[in-house]
Amino acid sequence: MTVYQATTSEIGGLFPLLAANGIPAVGARIGYDTLSGSAFYAHPVDWVLRGLTTNPNLVVFGEPGRGKSSTVVAFLLRMMLFGTKTLISGDVKGEYSPLLRALGISPIALGRGLSTRLNALDLGPIATRWDSWSAQRQRDELDALLARWVKLLVALAEAQGYAPTVTDEAVLAQVLRRLLGTTDGARRLRPVTIPDVQRELADPDEQLWRETRFADRRQFLDTLRPITDALANLITGPLSGLFDEPTNFHLDWQAPIQSMDLSRLRGRGDQAVAVALTCLGSWSSMITDLQDDGEIRIVVRDEVWRQMRLGSKAVQAVDSDLRLSRAEQKIQILVGHKPSDFLSVGSAGSQEVAIAKDLLALCSTRILFGQSTRVADELAGDFALSTKESEVTTGWCMERTGRALWKLENSPGYKVQTVLSRVEQHAFDTNAHLRGNGGEMR
């Protein structure tokens, strides 16, 4: 191989057609662009500010073993240098836990045989900040909190096969207000759990059924019976005890990264994992909404399609979070194997599938790792890939771990090779459990 050496003042004359890749050198240094040879940096918020993309969200697709998780973890770690914090909103396979442990942080694990409990209706930092807010701020935060909780309870009822009505939603909002103490002038918000809500619905007092405009107690019970039973199934079903008891751990929100490890939950079935992701999605959204102005937070949603299979409300919840990410200074990262994962959330032509298709458009940055020809055809159709770009995902990306086509909006894609240090290779090795003690990722 011939090697040329020259000063920067001379190189332009020797190779006048060489050009940088057009991506500013700001943010996490991922690796290098193989077409230009220059370093490749990623900072989705900066890309929005420069007009390269319209939103800061990322979607990552690729076959297992192609380097998706390693690239995402490397991005999270390197963005910490800029003060960016991360929340893993449900680590289904436990792939992010090694990074937390390497940073001296203990991930919160939920599942079989563990004592950890997370109240799906936990107030989080709202409880401690409530007294410091003005009356108007309290009203605004309360409205947002109730809307999120009602949406969560409705989605969980849908997971049990019941489609809640607007009447159900109105009653849930009133019950939550009563339980929080806002209807009786309490100065502090009272803690609420799903069993509390279920008990109010199952045994309403006269004031509740009159406030919610029912003729009598019997009409209230008959009308609300389906959603009451749906919530009861959550309390006694496969997730009993995990999300219906008071939170029993403290989460350090000043830490650079936090994670909810659900890998021990997979034995309870796909629906249990989906319900857990839904609870965590609602809870984490409330927490990250209270971040300080100017603070950027990354939210990773791995295998989010599992959550969206619960029904239209679960799909709408994810859709809402993605649409608000720009205003709320969040970088949402969706990780999956292929686009059809998202389209499996409902029957063809359904509202769920229509919204799921739109989710891909709400992620301006698409990171596409190696795929089979069949899946590459899906990617080409969904992301308007050129023939050359499609061939990159089935050819070049398949030749080495960590290779991906980075596609920003409708701009030509960049062929990027992720580069990991030796320490990172060891820490991010998702195949370590397959080879026993110790090999490094190749």
Side-chain angles (χ1 to χ4, degrees):
M1 180 180 68
T2 304
V3 178
Y4 296 92
Q5 187 174 12
T7 65
T8 54
S9 62
E10 298 168 331
I11 198 70
L14 290 173
F15 300 98
L17 299 182
L18 287 181
N21 61 24
I23 297 296
V26 177
R29 182 168 178 169
I30 301 299
Y32 60 90
D33 172 12
T34 60
L35 294 180
S36 68
S38 60
F40 187 87
Y41 295 80
H43 198 310
V45 173
D46 184 77
W47 291 346
V48 171
L49 296 176
R50 293 174 185 265
L52 298 177
T53 59
T54 55
N55 65 69
N57 303 321
L58 288 74
V59 63
V60 185
F61 287 127
E63 289 185 345
R66 295 297 170 190
K68 296 191 305 296
S69 298
S70 297
T71 296
V72 172
V73 173
F75 171 70
L76 304 180
L77 178 62
R78 296 166 190 181
M79 284 297 288
M80 291 177 194
L81 298 173
F82 302 91
T84 302
K85 296 182 175 64
T86 295
L87 175 65
I88 311 298
S89 184
D91 184 0
V92 177
K93 298 185 289 291
E95 293 182 328
Y96 300 91
S97 292
L99 172 62
L100 273 76
R101 295 190 182 99
L103 295 172
I105 302 169
S106 298
I108 306 302
L110 299 168
R112 185 178 63 254
L114 301 174
S115 61
T116 310
R117 300 290 182 265
L118 169 62
N119 177 15
L121 305 181
D122 192 281
L123 287 166
I126 287 182
T128 57
R129 300 184 187 183
W130 184 258
D131 289 341
S132 65
W133 288 336
S134 65
Q136 183 60 50
R137 175 72 185 274
Q138 288 179 345
R139 286 192 293 270
D140 292 342
E141 293 293 344
L142 180 62
D143 289 342
L145 178 67
L146 291 173
R148 180 173 291 109
W149 280 359
V150 169
K151 187 184 298 183
L152 169 64
L153 294 173
V154 165
L156 295 179
E158 276 194 336
Q160 312 301 313
Y162 172 64
T165 66
V166 291
T167 299
D168 295 326
E169 296 184 24
V171 173
L172 285 173
Q174 183 62 16
V175 167
L176 290 168
R177 285 181 180 275
R178 286 163 56 98
L179 291 171
L180 284 168
T182 59
T183 58
D184 57 15
R187 298 192 58 179
R188 290 183 177 274
L189 297 180
R190 294 194 288 260
V192 182
T193 64
I194 291 177
D196 293 334
V197 177
Q198 195 273 338
R199 281 193 295 270
E200 286 282 312
L201 296 176
D203 186 20
D205 58 29
E206 182 177 352
Q207 183 180 1
L208 177 58
W209 59 258
R210 287 189 181 280
E211 286 176 348
T212 49
R213 297 179 299 162
F214 285 89
D216 53 34
R217 188 173 188 272
R218 173 48 54 190
Q219 185 188 39
F220 181 99
L221 291 173
D222 291 344
T223 303
L224 277 297
R225 186 182 304 281
I227 195 166
T228 303
D229 292 344
L231 294 180
N233 287 340
L234 289 171
I235 301 169
T236 59
L239 291 180
S240 173
L242 291 180
F243 296 98
D244 55 12
E245 295 182 6
T247 302
N248 63 358
F249 62 86
H250 172 72
L251 207 59
D252 179 11
W253 288 102
Q254 298 307 310
I257 184 171
Q258 288 290 359
S259 174
M260 298 294 172
D261 188 333
L262 302 180
S263 58
R264 297 277 291 274
L265 196 59
R266 286 180 292 173
R268 298 198 182 193
D270 287 344
Q271 188 182 47
V273 173
V275 170
L277 288 172
T278 303
C279 291
L280 287 174
S282 175
W283 181 75
S284 61
S285 293
M286 180 191 70
I287 298 298
T288 54
D289 283 352
L290 295 175
Q291 64 195 38
D292 296 330
D293 290 341
E295 181 181 72
I296 299 172
R297 191 179 293 274
I298 301 171
V299 180
V300 179
R301 297 173 178 268
D302 206 343
E303 298 194 19
V304 69
W305 52 269
R306 292 177 180 266
Q307 171 187 342
M308 298 194 299
R309 283 182 177 178
L310 291 180
S312 61
K313 296 300 182 182
V315 177
Q316 291 169 10
V318 177
D319 178 75
S320 176
D321 285 340
L322 291 179
R323 292 183 184 278
L324 293 173
S325 59
R326 178 170 176 165
E328 296 177 349
Q329 300 169 302
K330 297 177 189 173
I331 301 172
Q332 302 269 355
I333 304 179
L334 308 186
V335 184
H337 297 307
K338 54 189 183 299
S340 58
D341 289 342
F342 288 73
L343 305 184
S344 65
V345 301
S347 58
S350 64
Q351 180 189 33
E352 294 91 336
V353 170
I355 297 175
K357 285 183 177 179
D358 290 340
L359 291 181
L360 300 181
L362 296 174
C363 297
S364 289
T365 302
R366 296 83 185 251
I367 309 172
L368 311 178
F369 288 82
Q371 295 281 11
S372 66
T373 302
R374 178 181 59 82
V375 176
D377 292 340
E378 288 182 39
L379 295 173
D382 292 326
F383 298 137
L385 302 184
S386 67
T387 301
K388 290 292 185 183
E389 289 173 332
S390 187
E391 290 173 351
V392 167
T393 63
T394 58
W396 179 79
C397 291
M398 298 288 278
E399 295 171 0
R400 186 175 177 181
T401 302
R403 288 183 171 183
L405 180 74
W406 285 63
K407 183 85 171 166
L408 278 62
E409 297 281 6
N410 296 317
S411 302
Y414 300 97
K415 294 168 61 177
V416 178
Q417 171 68 62
T418 299
V419 177
L420 304 180
S421 68
R422 187 171 296 274
V423 173
E424 289 174 327
Q425 286 179 18
H426 180 74
F428 303 168
D429 186 1
T430 57
N431 292 326
H433 65 287
L434 297 177
R435 64 174 64 92
N437 294 325
E440 292 178 355
M441 184 187 71
R442 304 258 189 245

